[in-house]
Amino acid sequence: MKKLLKILAIGLILAPITGKAFAAPEKQKPTVILMEVTKSNGGYWSAINLYDEINYTVENFDAANNVIYAKLSCDGDGFSFCRAPRRAACNAATSTATDNLINSEAIAQMVNKLIEASEQEFQTGKLSGSKTNKSIIVVSGKSKLYFGTASWQYDQNGNGKISIRISEDPTGIASRL
């Protein structure tokens, strides 16, 4: 009986220690990119979406929630399309955490398709709306499914804002394909 009590006591002492040692690793939160596109002062060229100054930057990275904040601003009448470039200008704090994803050509292509969809809707006379898109993108050697959603609001002159949200599929189904 004494041996049984000793074994139980040792088991109760070791159970919390071994439980921590063999705990499953915490799953990383899915990555989300929040982008704000601003179009202004396009003049006559805004009808065909040509602007003078195109600024695309990654503003911030929230490591706790795995969220990347980016901005694309298109201003003035010129000869450049309002599109996200293949490489983003990242500051030192965000470049290491976001380099593989935000600089992905596939992410830029997804963003540009959503911007183009808003421009096509504007040309048909719809000043506001939304569009959803999905794509499988290879990031750091792994396939991941991303969903892109854009909502926009323009005025009669083509000035306005587009909010784009690109989020990773939390189920990770693309990596199993």
Side-chain angles (χ1 to χ4, degrees), residues 2 4 9-10 15 22 24 27-28 37 50 55 67-68 83 96 101 103 113 119-121 135 145 154 174 177:
K2 286 184 182 182
L4 181 63
I10 291 173
F22 297 112
K27 189 174 179 183
Q28 186 178 5
V37 181
L50 293 176
N55 294 317
V67 178
I68 301 167
R83 299 288 185 264
T96 56
L101 182 62
N103 289 322
K113 282 183 180 179
E119 293 168 350
Q120 289 172 350
E121 291 288 319
S135 180
L145 178 63
Y154 290 115
L177 297 176

Side-chain angles (χ1 to χ4, degrees), residues 1 8 66-67 94 96 101-103 115 140 143 156 158 161 170:
M1 186 72 166
L8 286 174
N66 214 12
V67 178
T94 62
T96 56
L101 182 62
I102 198 69
N103 289 322
I115 293 170
S140 301
S143 297
Q156 296 291 343
K161 290 191 179 198

